[in-house]
């Protein structure tokens, strides 16, 4: 009975991790609040914030806006949790899972005009 319960809990965790990962993939931005998400979308449009090859958001240009800085920090922390869960499930590192998410989900969904930092550390406009 305990083995069955453990298997069921594990399956539930796997399903939960997959749903979280799909949420990141579907939205392109995982922020803590709708307001933060809006700030990030606006900052991406303005070229202040961009996706990075490591799977996290980065600042292309400096900002003194503490709310935007917090939105990026919160988003990256949430992504880190999702990447770590995904990495555990497939037996890889968080860094590899994050880079794969960038390559397979984040980069292809970027719109024209948005900026991203490639693996060489260069900011490139899509």
């Amino acid at each position: 009975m305990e083995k069955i319960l453990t298997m069921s809990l594990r399956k539930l965790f796997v399903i939960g991790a997959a749903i979280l990962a799909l949420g990141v993939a579907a939205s392109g931005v995982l922020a803590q609040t709708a307001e933060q998400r809006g700030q990030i979308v606006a900052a991406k449009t303005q070229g202040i914030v961009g996706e990075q090859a490591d799977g996290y958001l980065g600042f292309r240009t400096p900002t003194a806006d503490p709310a935007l800085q917090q939105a990026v920090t919160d988003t990256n922390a949430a992504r880190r949790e999702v990447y770590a869960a995904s990495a555990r499930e497939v037996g890889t590192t968080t860094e590899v899972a994050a880079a794969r998410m960038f390559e397979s989900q984040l980069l292809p969904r970027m719109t024209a005009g948005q900026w991203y930092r490639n693996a060489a550390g260069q900011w490139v406009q899509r």
Side-chain angles (χ1 to χ4, degrees):
M1 176 73 172
E2 186 176 317
K3 185 176 182 179
I4 292 172
L5 182 58
T6 303
M7 294 265 303
S8 296
L9 290 175
R10 184 172 185 198
K11 286 181 182 178
L12 193 57
F13 176 77
V14 170
I15 291 169
I19 289 170
L20 284 173
L22 287 174
V24 170
S27 69
V29 175
L30 179 64
Q32 300 301 65
T33 67
E35 182 180 345
Q36 288 179 325
R37 186 182 191 295
Q39 290 170 326
I40 290 170
V41 169
K44 282 181 165 185
T45 301
Q46 296 167 11
I48 298 168
V49 170
E51 297 291 346
Q52 301 181 126
D54 65 0
Y56 300 98
L57 293 171
F59 286 97
R60 191 179 78 81
T61 61
T63 181
D65 182 351
L68 179 58
Q69 291 172 346
Q70 190 62 53
V72 169
T73 298
D74 291 350
T75 298
N76 284 342
R79 286 184 180 190
R80 192 171 295 107
E81 289 179 23
V82 172
Y83 297 153
S86 176
R88 282 190 299 273
E89 290 303 315
V90 297
T92 190
T93 66
T94 301
E95 292 78 16
V96 169
R100 286 181 183 161
M101 178 62 80
F102 172 78
E103 292 170 2
S104 66
Q105 300 293 327
L106 299 173
L107 182 61
R109 292 175 188 222
M110 288 179 56
T111 60
Q114 288 187 341
W115 290 84
Y116 67 95
R117 181 179 281 172
N118 63 23
Q122 301 165 323
W123 283 103
V124 179
Q125 192 169 28
R126 182 112 187 183

